[in-house]
Amino acid sequence: MTALMSSLQRTSLKWLSAEYHDLNGDYIDILENPPTNLEFARIVQISRPVVIRGFKVPGVSSNKWSNKYLIHAMGSRLVSVAVTPNGRADAVTLGPDGKLYFAEPAMERMTIGSLLENLSDDVNSDDNGVSLKTYYLQSQNGNVYSSHFFQGLDDPSEFEPLRQGIPSEVRWCTEALDKPPDAVNIWIGDGSSVSRIHSDPYENIYTVVRGQKHFTLLPPTDGWCLDERFYPHATYVRTPDQGGNLALQPSPGNTPPVRWSSILNPHLPGRLPPEAHPIHISISEGEAIYIPVGWWHHVRQSGITVALNWWYDTEMRGMSWVMLSYLRAMKDVTSGNSNDEKSDVMVN
């Protein structure tokens, strides 16, 4: 009975994936100017990514976000930076004991100047990571403005000096959704930094103000292609007895396992099943992309890149959130550390 149910579930998911693609195709709408609040409300209802050119944010330009400006503005203030030995933060990684783990980065405090000294315009990611240490400012969860700011509460930020150049909202998005953002973030990294494929419970407006980002996008109906599994949790830590190098430290046994995709590089040919329908799009300075709630995205970047994003909470009333939850609940998710599963991940 279990095997029959699993087969029926997979058949149903494949049908939904194919049906969605037949109706929507692979295209992405490109707007030459930002939408009105009414136009954006319709975009959200359709729930497909849209590229927005001419995304002008007051005070935000590549010149403003030069190394010189960032170092001058931030001075000696310390910020939280993710550090990994290979660019695989929040990713499935092979541990020293031969097991696969969901690995979180080490978090270190440093000045913006120190961060920029560790970044390069000449490094790019590949299958296995290219850097002995990768630094990525990806603290998220409102590192510029958190939900406290929008509730009128005290909201200290590591990036207080940059707030004057970062709007707390995207007006047409706020008006269309009838709510302020839940979080506003800044991201700074280089080509060795990769955001592994994942989905978020937010409506996401993401703009590049310096450099270029490369997105691989899949609709929620293609989630079954990403082969999610459960992995034990671990974190990178500095090891003084090994010269301060980074080592992967498994979390205590009572830490819940993490459900995560076993596909490490979905942008590369042959890494996804042939039934998948990835969309590849690059976002340059002065452009933005709307990523709807539940859409899977894998993000790479070229050179030193600075980006901003505004996360708006999803609307959980109605059927949309129920359908997203159903699509994930339909999949059988097993341990990522059986022999077959480990082999599949390690070749990805």
Side-chain angles (χ1 to χ4, degrees):
M1 178 64 74
T2 301
L4 175 61
M5 182 62 68
S6 179
S7 176
L8 289 173
Q9 288 171 342
R10 193 170 183 85
T11 300
S12 297
L13 289 169
K14 284 188 174 184
W15 181 87
L16 285 168
S17 175
E19 186 74 3
Y20 180 86
H21 185 258
D22 287 346
L23 291 172
N24 294 276
D26 295 322
Y27 78 96
I28 284 187
D29 280 336
I30 298 177
L31 306 181
E32 295 301 326
N33 295 291
T36 65
N37 57 338
L38 178 58
E39 289 169 339
F40 187 67
R42 290 170 176 162
I43 289 170
V44 172
Q45 182 181 29
I46 295 170
S47 193
R48 285 187 63 80
V50 171
V51 173
I52 305 162
R53 292 176 175 159
F55 188 84
K56 303 297 183 184
V57 179
V60 174
S61 69
S62 57
N63 291 335
K64 186 175 181 65
W65 297 103
S66 66
N67 286 11
K68 181 178 179 181
Y69 167 74
L70 289 168
I71 293 170
H72 174 76
M74 292 294 291
S76 60
R77 293 176 70 99
L78 300 180
V79 297
S80 302
V81 176
V83 187
T84 63
N86 53 16
R88 291 185 175 180
D90 301 330
V92 177
T93 302
L94 189 66
D97 57 359
K99 292 177 62 176
L100 291 169
Y101 291 88
F102 173 80
E104 290 200 45
M107 297 302 296
E108 299 186 356
R109 304 271 288 166
M110 63 184 67
T111 65
I112 282 288
S114 295
L115 168 63
L116 293 169
E117 286 178 0
N118 284 289
L119 302 182
S120 170
D121 275 321
D122 299 322
V123 64
N124 285 290
S125 62
D126 63 12
D127 287 16
N128 302 307
V130 297
S131 175
L132 294 178
K133 285 194 183 71
T134 296
Y135 296 80
Y136 191 20
L137 197 158
Q138 57 154 38
S139 47
Q140 307 175 48
N141 298 329
N143 61 15
V144 179
Y145 301 99
S146 77
S147 59
H148 286 176
F149 176 87
F150 303 104
Q151 296 167 13
L153 304 175
D154 186 40
D155 185 36
S157 168
E158 294 179 337
F159 301 95
E160 190 74 35
L162 302 183
R163 275 184 167 179
Q164 61 181 347
I166 304 176
S168 61
E169 64 177 1
V170 178
R171 181 63 58 85
W172 40 265
C173 188
T174 296
E175 292 178 354
L177 300 177
D178 195 27
K179 67 178 79 171
D182 189 62
V184 182
N185 304 295
I186 185 170
W187 311 73
I188 303 176
D190 64 14
S192 63
S193 309
V194 178
S195 295
R196 301 297 166 177
I197 195 156
H198 66 285
S199 64
D200 296 313
Y202 294 106
E203 309 289 2
N204 188 0
I205 304 294
Y206 197 108
T207 187
V208 175
V209 297
R210 175 180 171 186
Q212 190 177 54
K213 295 267 188 174
H214 311 287
F215 291 80
T216 297
L217 306 165
L218 291 103
T221 48
D222 276 4
W224 68 272
C225 297
L226 299 175
D227 210 3
E228 289 183 285
R229 295 168 188 164
F230 284 111
Y231 296 96
H233 183 273
T235 305
Y236 283 108
V237 296
R238 292 282 187 184
T239 53
D241 58 331
Q242 298 180 26
N245 291 327
L246 291 168
L248 195 62
Q249 177 175 288
S251 299
N254 59 352
T255 303
V258 178
R259 177 174 173 166
W260 204 255
S261 170
S262 62
I263 307 296
L264 298 184
N265 297 294
H267 62 293
L268 296 177
R271 300 304 170 91
L272 290 168
E275 300 95 337
H277 308 104
I279 298 171
H280 306 284
I281 191 78
S282 294
I283 303 298
S284 301
E285 296 170 10
E287 297 179 336
I289 185 169
Y290 161 60
I291 304 175
V293 58
W295 272 70
W296 297 88
H297 47 288
H298 174 273
V299 191
R300 298 171 295 118
Q301 46 207 353
S302 296
I304 298 177
T305 303
V306 182
L308 306 169
N309 87 299
W310 292 261
W311 271 331
Y312 287 79
D313 267 337
T314 186
E315 175 58 75
M316 292 191 175
R317 295 174 299 176
M319 278 298 297
S320 296
W321 183 254
V322 174
M323 179 57 71
L324 290 173
S325 300
Y326 173 75
L327 287 171
R328 295 200 76 191
M330 279 280 286
K331 292 176 288 187
D332 290 326
V333 182
T334 59
S335 168
N337 276 295
S338 73
N339 289 335
D340 290 342
E341 277 80 359
K342 285 175 67 175
S343 298
D344 289 346
V345 174
M346 291 170 68
V347 300
N348 268 299

